[in-house]
Amino acid sequence: MTVTWEELGWERVAAGVGRRRLPVWDCTAGLVVGAGAALLIDAGSSLGEGARLRAEAQALAGHRVTHLALTHPHFDHVFGAAAFADAEVFGAAGAETALGAGREALRADAVANGLDRRRAEEAVDALTAVRHPVSGERTLDLGGGRQVLLADVGPGHTSHDLAVLVPGSPEVVFCGDLVEESGEPQAGPDALPGQWPAALDRLLRLGGEDALYVPGHGAVVDAAFVRAQRDALAARFGVSR
């Protein structure tokens, strides 16, 4: 029996492309479906959430998730990654080190933000490694004429921000937390505020004026929103063009 995106709580953004707004932290997970392959973008905030995403993604794609792209190394985006242990895992260059050496900081941040301590410890213990660091750009072929572009557009929100461009009509750009719609962009201790506006400039060049931009938190936005957020961040952090 075929299920629709909407029946599983997903928003269909373009043909074969959708996203799921997850509860509690309103974090976005994305899915790009190819012929015999599928890419999940971010994996949720716990092992249980990752397992649910995997089941839903497989139902929508009709086959397993073969690729996982982690937009940045924060717990609400990576703690479900162990549910995709048999997938090829991608992240911006340096994310593999951040996820390896920074596990205690990830656990502490998750608990401080309200994740149950036991679930945080389970996720940290099982955390899947980034096997394919992306420096610059890398194209993935998902089959059936479906290709996606992974781009290391940071630093900004973190030192290791990865964007995912899905060509098509419209083009879709998964931004991670470089862009947030449901609240002011969060600049934690690992943010590089002085470089964040330039990262958004790179993101806009990647997608162009007519793309749909999927933020790490909140509703899908357009280029004008991203540009306005870029200008607001520049003003907030005293960054000139």
Side-chain angles (χ1 to χ4, degrees), residues 123-204:
V124 167
D125 288 344
L127 196 59
T128 297
V130 172
R131 302 187 185 96
H132 304 286
V134 177
S135 179
E137 298 180 351
R138 178 165 181 169
T139 299
L140 300 180
D141 188 347
L142 301 181
R146 170 74 77 188
Q147 293 188 329
V148 298
L149 181 70
L150 308 181
D152 181 1
V153 294
H157 177 66
T158 72
S159 297
H160 318 291
D161 294 308
L162 186 76
V164 179
L165 170 69
V166 187
S169 183
E171 293 192 327
V172 180
V173 183
F174 288 90
C175 309
D177 285 4
L178 284 170
V179 179
E180 296 192 41
E181 185 276 336
S182 55
E184 185 175 81
Q186 297 300 301
D190 57 345
L192 287 88
Q195 299 183 56
W196 199 333
L200 291 183
D201 287 336
R202 289 190 287 273
L203 197 68
L204 286 163

Side-chain angles (χ1 to χ4, degrees), residues 42-106:
D42 286 338
S45 60
S46 68
L47 294 177
E49 196 159 68
R52 289 190 291 275
L53 284 171
R54 179 176 183 143
E56 292 171 1
Q58 288 183 169
L60 291 168
H63 47 73
R64 74 180 183 90
V65 173
T66 54
H67 301 74
L68 172 64
L70 301 175
T71 61
H72 62 287
H74 282 169
F75 83 92
D76 51 334
H77 296 258
V78 305
F79 267 10
F84 304 89
D86 58 346
E88 299 298 324
V89 183
F90 298 81
E96 71 281 9
T97 301
L99 289 174
R103 291 183 177 222
E104 176 56 29
L106 279 172

